[in-house]
Amino acid sequence: MRLRSSRISRSFCATLLVLALCGSAHAVTVVSAKGASPRELYGAQELRSALAELKSPPAGVRVLIAVRSAPELAHFDLPEFWPQAQEAFLIKQIGKTWIVTGSDPSGVLYGELELADRIRAGKTLPAGIDDMEHPALKLRGTCIGMQKQEITYDNAEYDYPYTPQNFPFFYDKAAWIKYLDMLAEERYNTLYLWNGHPFTSLLKLPKYPEAQELPTAQLDENIAMFKWLTAEADRRGIWVLQGFYNIHLSHTFARAHHLPYHLSAPNDEASAYTRYVISEFVREYPHAGLMMTLGEALSPRYGAEWLAQTIIPGVKDGLKELGITEEPPIVVRAHATDIDEVMKAATPIYSNIDTMFKWNGESLTWTNVRGPVLDRFKMLAESSNVAVANVHLLSNLEPFRWGDPDFIRQTETNFQRIGIEGLHVYPLRYWDWPYAGDSTQPMLLQTDRDWLWFEAWGRYAWNPNRDPEKEHAYWVSRFAEKFGSAEAGEKILAAYTLAGPCQPKLLPRIGITEGNRQALTLGMTMPQLIDPARFNPAVPLWTGDGPPGERLDEYVAEEVKNEPHHGETPLAVSDETVDASRKAFDAANAAEAFVTKNKAEYGRIVNDIHAIALLMEFYNAKTKAAEQVLLYGYDHDAAHLREAETLLAESVDRFRELTAIAGPAYRTATSMETTQRQIPFRGGMNQFPNWQQCLPMYEKELATFRKRLTQLRSGEKIDESKPVATLPQIGFMLHPGAGEAFTVEKGAILFVGAHAAISDLAPELAGMKGIRISPSEGGTLHFDLAEPAQILVGFVSNASKKNSVLDPETEQWNLALLNAIAAPKVPAMAVWSKPLPAGANELDLGKGQYVILGFIPADDHIAPHVNFAQTGSGGGPPNLDWLFE
């Protein structure tokens, strides 16, 4: 693990580079003093390239480069950096000498890169420069998923061996050089690689030969590649962190020891194995770091124990073998674990812990946070060395180009205000890395297509406190470089900044979740708009990740009661997004006459902005249709339904137009192809990968609504009930220990040691073979499955769950049914599903009220429907979903 000089120990090596400029560009030389660090040498190389481009460099001048403590700077009158300065630099002209100095080698590197940029921009050495800078955020990083769009390895989530077949880009050194150079230019200093269990792809494990999963030749290639990558990153000031999930095991190790691939509770074998592989990673890769997700597989109640008794001892074992006494940072995600208990257990035994938490969930919805999300970030900022904001997945932005620089600047300004000192930013199409989703041949690289995304986050992670007017001019110049003229730059920037806030602003007002369950670009159904409670909405979407305001049902209720509204309203925000996106489309079109290069990319930008405008118009018409339906629920005035029909038809027309322009432009609308995608339609991206597959569903919805209106006008009695078939089952064998098998039926006792009997249940669950546990004791269930399956678990509602019970909303679980189980004095239960492999499995969901309701085939889908006691959200009008289903 790399001992970052800015955080642990500083190697204030005296480094001197003298560049003698003797009146000719050909005479420029770069001289490095003995002991120059790789980072300083990399920066000198970039500076040498910039100086070589000067046609007439001034005569008799020099550039002197050294860390601030170097004796070569002793006779210059230079200010000192503050005692805890990190990555800071000073560029100053004194007479005919330009001095570049830094608080540490990274600071020198950034000073060299800054001077190189100034030379290229001004075509000369900058006269009179006196510039001292330091980063606003300590950690500034991007990430790459060593993960694939679908589960491919033994039906185990996140586990993907590093092979040329799985990840060809990992072995492309030229592509890595280009990417790392971009990161250095934008002053990123961290790079996160995500994987479930990467250790058997990167390490030889002599203590556990049965754990080897790859052929030896492939493993040797991986080890050499990872060492090269971490060294190349390190000389650019970039710290590579390898991510891993817990508890994930080598699949061959698990089979040899008769264990599941993933464990929800620790055991001695898994602990010994994990401690060893972590120690070997620390020893083998001293320039790399570790970023961990303690949960998803591991029950939240074991996170603190696992970190304190397995992971941290493994880190210390590796450091001891290296002879290192100072503790390098480790990064712990505040996800799927009880982070409060984790920090209490870990900080007394390991002082250098950074934490990471999702910003705006798995979307980008606001430049700020509030309520429970703000409270969490403040806690992390106080309890850890660096709190890192994870700009995660961007589910609501896919697949279009997105880049509002000022939105990003405001966001990172709020990082500073909150106390967040780190950035971790996903690419816009994480699951398809390194390619964008555009239907082009050859495929577009994300680093090329989404250059603005990477540049803006890096620029403002370094310094968000820049003058907005100067920033506007800067971005106009950057677009002008891309498309040939300042006029084109001005108009294309306007298009980006006008369209940028549209998807973020809309989602909190009408969406179901900021998580990856929803693909905003594919629309929403009428039941999702009028009865979001049925679809388990993520409440932090509007209580923490959006500004104060109303949801649609609240808005209508206030209208009916003639009471004042508060904050943003759904219809006003939707109107704003329509106006802004239309203006964005006009601005994009107006640039055409001024675009002189990269015309194909310009055309794709225009198409994206047009698609966003149509998407906003679709939502505007459909949200207003939903408003009319909700009003009908209060007063039963048929005029509301007639107006809703007109608006709903308009929304289908807009979606048809969207399909015509966006469908051919993209391979798929989003990049994740699993059953996690449930909004707007269940079945994941395998069934609804694109607008073309969703359009018939919206046309059917409109046809159904028109049929219902005809029935209402004729006075025909409408049967709202639908026949529901019993679910098919997969057999299981429960091993002795926690839990007991039972038949799911009315009158059956829900929990061991309790008297709560099922009083009502969704009909498809009747007769299922389930497993009940003791809420006060919990325990680890051990069972065998006859074939791959989905487990069905009933959890109580979000508001009723205790901290010790796993929260399926934050895990890799799929919502199946709401209000599916009722019992006296037990809150209503929702049913969630999760895929499990055939064979041995174990499950520990903590202590509290939950019940396993059975196992169904892995490819089976539960059709959503209205269950008992399920009415309109918020206790307002009666359920009206039957109008559309």
Side-chain angles (χ1 to χ4, degrees):
M1 301 179 76
R2 191 184 77 167
L3 297 177
R4 282 182 285 167
S5 60
S6 60
R7 301 280 298 284
I8 302 154
S9 66
R10 304 199 182 280
S11 176
F12 287 109
C13 55
T15 303
L16 178 63
L17 300 176
V18 180
L19 290 79
L21 306 179
C22 303
S24 168
H26 299 292
V28 174
T29 59
V30 176
V31 180
S32 299
K34 184 178 180 181
S37 71
R39 294 179 193 178
E40 293 160 282
L41 293 176
Y42 173 82
Q45 174 184 319
E46 296 301 305
L47 187 53
R48 182 190 297 115
S49 297
L51 288 165
E53 295 169 14
L54 295 180
K55 295 180 179 179
S56 300
V61 302
R62 65 173 183 164
V63 179
L64 183 65
I65 304 172
V67 292
R68 184 63 185 88
S69 58
E72 288 81 3
L73 298 180
H75 65 282
F76 288 97
D77 183 17
L78 298 172
E80 293 288 341
F81 293 105
W82 53 101
Q84 277 73 47
Q86 302 175 18
E87 301 178 308
F89 68 79
L90 170 68
I91 307 174
K92 185 178 179 65
Q93 181 188 359
I94 299 178
K96 291 192 173 184
T97 300
W98 275 256
I99 296 173
V100 179
T101 185
S103 60
D104 48 44
S106 286
V108 174
L109 164 65
Y110 293 131
E112 292 168 312
L113 296 176
E114 177 67 19
L115 183 56
D117 286 345
R118 301 279 186 102
I119 290 169
R120 289 191 171 103
K123 311 299 183 185
T124 187
L125 280 161
I129 189 171
D130 186 358
D131 181 21
M132 179 181 284
E133 295 187 26
H134 65 91
L137 302 185
K138 294 178 180 178
L139 297 182
R140 309 172 301 281
T142 62
C143 76
I144 290 175
M146 302 299 290
Q147 297 174 329
K148 299 182 72 65
Q149 296 168 294
E150 51 205 353
I151 300 171
T152 60
Y153 185 41
D154 290 340
N155 204 36
E157 291 173 326
Y158 302 139
D159 292 350
Y160 302 97
Y162 291 14
T163 66
Q165 294 74 34
N166 281 340
F167 306 110
F169 66 82
F170 181 71
Y171 303 90
D172 188 338
K173 289 186 176 181
W176 275 119
I177 291 295
K178 178 183 176 182
Y179 182 67
L180 294 173
D181 283 347
M182 180 201 74
L183 297 186
E185 177 64 26
E186 308 306 340
R187 300 182 190 173
Y188 288 105
N189 65 359
T190 47
L191 169 61
Y192 301 82
L193 303 179
W194 287 62
N195 188 265
H197 189 73
F199 303 110
T200 50
S201 290
L202 299 172
L203 296 168
K204 292 184 175 179
L205 303 171
K207 184 176 178 180
Y208 294 102
E210 72 275 23
Q212 183 167 329
E213 297 184 283
L214 296 176
T216 300
Q218 183 63 67
L219 186 56
D220 287 339
E221 182 182 6
N222 288 358
I223 291 170
M225 189 68 209
F226 198 72
K227 287 183 175 180
W228 174 87
L229 173 61
T230 55
E232 286 294 322
D234 189 67
R235 78 185 190 98
R236 292 165 175 79
I238 299 166
W239 182 40
V240 176
L241 295 99
Q242 178 62 67
F244 65 102
Y245 282 73
N246 291 274
I247 300 172
H248 288 214
L249 302 174
S250 155
H251 291 202
T252 55
F253 173 88
R255 288 193 290 268
H257 293 265
H258 308 290
L259 295 171
Y261 303 137
H262 299 168
L263 303 179
S264 57
N267 63 45
D268 291 343
E269 285 181 300
S271 180
Y273 167 79
T274 303
R275 177 172 177 170
Y276 173 70
V277 298
I278 288 173
S279 70
E280 286 296 285
F281 183 88
V282 171
R283 183 186 61 77
E284 188 74 16
Y285 302 108
H287 294 297
L290 290 169
M291 183 267 293
M292 64 208 68
T293 303
L294 289 175
E296 296 218 2
L298 183 65
S299 175
R301 64 172 170 156
Y302 296 117
E305 172 191 336
W306 187 249
L307 178 61
Q309 298 182 21
T310 297
I311 294 175
I312 288 176
V315 171
K316 290 185 173 182
D317 291 346
L319 294 174
K320 183 177 180 181
E321 288 193 49
L322 293 171
I324 296 173
T325 58
E326 296 172 294
E327 295 174 349
I330 58 176
V331 179
V332 180
R333 295 182 66 205
H335 168 75
T337 195
D338 187 340
I339 193 63
D340 303 81
E341 293 302 314
V342 165
M343 296 304 289
K344 288 177 185 177
T347 50
I349 60 174
Y350 201 88
S351 62
N352 207 352
I353 298 176
D354 299 337
T355 54
M356 180 185 292
F357 189 52
K358 292 176 182 177
W359 180 268
N360 295 169
E362 295 181 337
S363 294
L364 189 63
T365 58
W366 194 22
T367 59
N368 207 346
V369 292
R370 64 188 180 96
V373 181
L374 176 60
D375 292 342
R376 173 60 70 202
F377 271 117
K378 285 184 174 180
M379 185 282 288
L380 296 174
E382 292 172 0
S383 63
S384 56
N385 286 350
V386 173
V388 180
N390 177 0
V391 181
H392 192 92
L393 208 58
L394 297 320
S395 298
N396 64 325
L397 303 184
E398 285 191 289
F400 307 119
R401 288 154 180 77
W402 193 95
D404 179 354
D406 203 57
F407 189 106
I408 293 171
R409 183 189 65 80
Q410 292 179 46
T411 300
E412 300 201 67
T413 299
N414 283 320
F415 287 1
Q416 287 186 300
R417 177 184 57 80
I418 294 167
I420 295 167
E421 294 185 300
L423 165 72
H424 167 290
V425 62
Y426 267 59
L428 285 170
R429 197 170 175 96
Y430 173 82
W431 296 98
D432 260 354
W433 186 265
Y435 299 111
D438 302 69
S439 294
T440 61
Q441 288 298 330
M443 289 191 287
L444 301 179
L445 293 172
Q446 294 190 53
T447 48
D448 294 334
R449 191 197 88 147
D450 299 324
W451 63 272
L452 176 59
W453 175 261
F454 295 106
E455 184 172 333
W457 283 107
R459 181 176 180 84
Y460 297 124
W462 180 268
N463 179 16
N465 305 305
R466 302 174 190 257
D467 179 77
E469 290 187 9
K470 292 181 179 178
E471 287 306 287
H472 179 87
Y474 171 80
W475 290 111
V476 167
S477 71
R478 291 291 288 123
F479 276 108
E481 291 173 27
K482 299 286 184 181
F483 297 102
S485 70
E487 292 87 351
E490 187 74 55
K491 296 180 187 305
I492 296 173
L493 174 61
Y496 269 85
T497 55
L498 284 164
C502 292
Q503 295 133 292
K505 285 176 68 73
L506 187 63
L507 185 65
R509 299 279 69 92
I510 66 168
I512 298 296
T513 177
E514 78 280 50
N516 60 25
R517 283 192 293 127
Q518 179 164 6
L520 184 70
T521 189
L522 294 178
M524 293 172 65
T525 67
M526 286 294 283
Q528 288 159 2
L529 287 167
I530 65 176
D531 189 15
R534 170 180 164 187
F535 301 90
N536 195 50
V539 176
L541 171 60
W542 60 91
T543 62
D545 293 319
E550 297 174 352
R551 299 278 287 173
L552 185 59
D553 60 335
E554 296 173 313
Y555 172 83
V556 172
E558 300 295 340
E559 285 284 293
V560 169
K561 292 182 288 186
N562 199 30
E563 293 185 355
H565 297 288
H566 62 277
E568 293 184 347
T569 65
L571 297 187
V573 166
S574 183
D575 286 342
E576 290 172 16
T577 64
V578 167
D579 182 62
S581 60
R582 285 174 178 169
K583 290 177 179 177
F585 185 43
D586 290 342
N589 277 317
E592 183 177 13
F594 306 102
V595 173
T596 61
K597 58 182 181 179
N598 291 324
K599 291 187 177 182
E601 175 60 14
Y602 164 72
R604 290 187 286 265
I605 291 173
V606 173
N607 200 69
D608 276 4
I609 300 296
H610 189 192
I612 291 170
L614 289 170
L615 183 65
M616 294 304 104
E617 291 174 8
F618 160 82
Y619 274 116
N620 187 258
K622 198 153 192 176
T623 301
K624 290 177 178 177
E627 176 204 21
Q628 293 299 312
V629 172
L630 287 170
L631 287 170
Y632 169 79
Y634 283 97
D635 61 17
H636 300 290
D637 184 346
H640 292 307
L641 296 185
R642 291 194 294 271
E643 178 65 14
E645 179 188 5
T646 300
L647 290 164
L648 188 58
E650 181 184 340
S651 76
V652 174
D653 289 343
R654 297 294 82 74
F655 199 86
R656 189 176 294 112
E657 293 179 56
L658 171 63
T659 300
I661 69 160
Y666 286 95
R667 298 191 306 278
T668 58
T670 63
S671 61
M672 192 174 78
E673 297 182 5
T674 73
T675 56
Q676 282 295 107
R677 296 285 192 202
Q678 296 196 37
I679 309 295
F681 303 111
R682 298 192 181 201
M685 296 306 296
N686 290 326
Q687 292 188 44
F688 298 100
N690 225 321
W691 302 269
Q692 294 93 316
Q693 289 74 36
C694 296
L695 176 60
M697 304 296 287
Y698 293 131
E699 292 171 332
K700 179 181 178 182
E701 182 181 61
L702 175 60
T704 300
F705 183 48
R706 285 172 168 164
K707 177 182 177 182
R708 295 286 187 246
L709 293 186
T710 300
Q711 291 173 321
L712 286 172
R713 283 193 290 265
S714 68
E716 177 184 342
K717 181 176 175 58
I718 301 172
D719 183 5
E720 300 175 22
S721 64
K722 295 180 180 179
V724 179
T726 303
L727 292 171
Q729 299 194 52
I730 297 298
F732 69 92
M733 182 176 69
L734 179 65
H735 294 284
E740 64 180 35
F742 79 110
T743 299
V744 181
E745 58 189 359
K746 288 184 181 181
I749 301 300
L750 266 180
F751 310 117
V752 173
H755 300 292
I758 297 175
S759 59
D760 209 344
L761 77 162
E764 58 263 68
L765 298 175
M768 297 287 290
K769 302 300 181 184
I771 304 170
R772 55 193 171 202
I773 55 93
S774 167
S776 61
E777 297 179 6
T780 304
L781 303 174
H782 298 273
F783 53 89
D784 294 336
L785 290 173
E787 58 186 88
Q790 299 175 68
I791 185 173
L792 302 181
V793 181
F795 292 96
V796 298
S797 64
N798 285 338
S800 306
K801 285 194 290 281
K802 304 297 183 182
N803 288 337
S804 60
V805 179
L806 175 141
D807 182 359
E809 177 65 30
T810 64
E811 317 300 326
Q812 297 304 304
W813 291 74
N814 299 322
L815 178 65
L817 294 168
L818 278 175
N819 295 337
I821 297 282
K825 298 182 180 181
V826 176
M829 281 187 160
V831 177
W832 294 74
S833 66
K834 177 184 173 71
L836 293 176
N841 283 271
E842 57 117 275
L843 188 72
D844 191 320
L845 300 177
K847 297 180 181 180
Q849 293 182 326
Y850 63 89
V851 59
I852 286 78
L853 297 165
F855 303 87
I856 63 175
D859 58 355
D860 196 67
H861 299 292
I862 301 176
H865 62 89
V866 178
N867 294 315
F868 61 88
Q870 190 167 311
T871 61
S873 57
N879 186 281
L880 298 165
D881 297 356
W882 58 270
L883 287 167
F884 306 95
E885 297 179 337

